[in-house]
């Protein structure tokens, strides 16, 4: 879920063209973190990724309720 959220946050910033960061260094850290996750994760490349993501969300939501 972290990878999905970070990727979406980075894409939303590109679409709005509004700075979502207080400093360029924050954006560089975000890009670095996304890059590290892309190298380490295999789930986003699986055919059933959407199902896995939804299951993770359901698990987290259920643990809070």
């Amino acid at each position: 879920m972290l990878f999905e959220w970070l990727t979406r946050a980075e894409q939303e910033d590109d679409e709005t063209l509004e700075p979502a960061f207080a400093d360029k260094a924050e954006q560089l850290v975000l890009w670095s973190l996304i890059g590290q996750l892309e190298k380490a994760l295999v789930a986003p490349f699986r055919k059933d990724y959407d199902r896995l993501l939804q299951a993770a969300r359901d698990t987290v939501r259920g643990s809070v309720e």
Side-chain angles (χ1 to χ4, degrees):
M1 284 187 331
L2 176 63
F3 174 75
E4 188 69 23
W5 178 66
L6 292 173
T7 303
R8 194 173 58 249
E10 192 268 333
Q11 290 171 349
E12 288 173 358
D13 182 51
D14 288 347
E15 291 172 7
T16 61
L17 299 178
E18 295 178 16
F21 306 100
D23 188 276
K24 181 72 174 176
E26 295 171 357
Q27 186 176 30
L28 295 172
V29 168
L30 174 62
W31 288 345
S32 176
L33 183 57
I34 290 172
Q36 290 174 30
L37 289 171
E38 285 175 340
K39 291 178 186 175
L41 298 176
V42 295
F45 303 104
R46 290 180 45 168
K47 292 180 182 180
D48 61 345
Y49 176 63
D50 290 337
R51 184 188 63 75
L52 294 171
L53 180 61
Q54 188 58 52
R57 288 174 174 162
D58 293 344
T59 300
V60 170
R61 193 179 312 106
S63 68
V64 178
E65 295 175 343

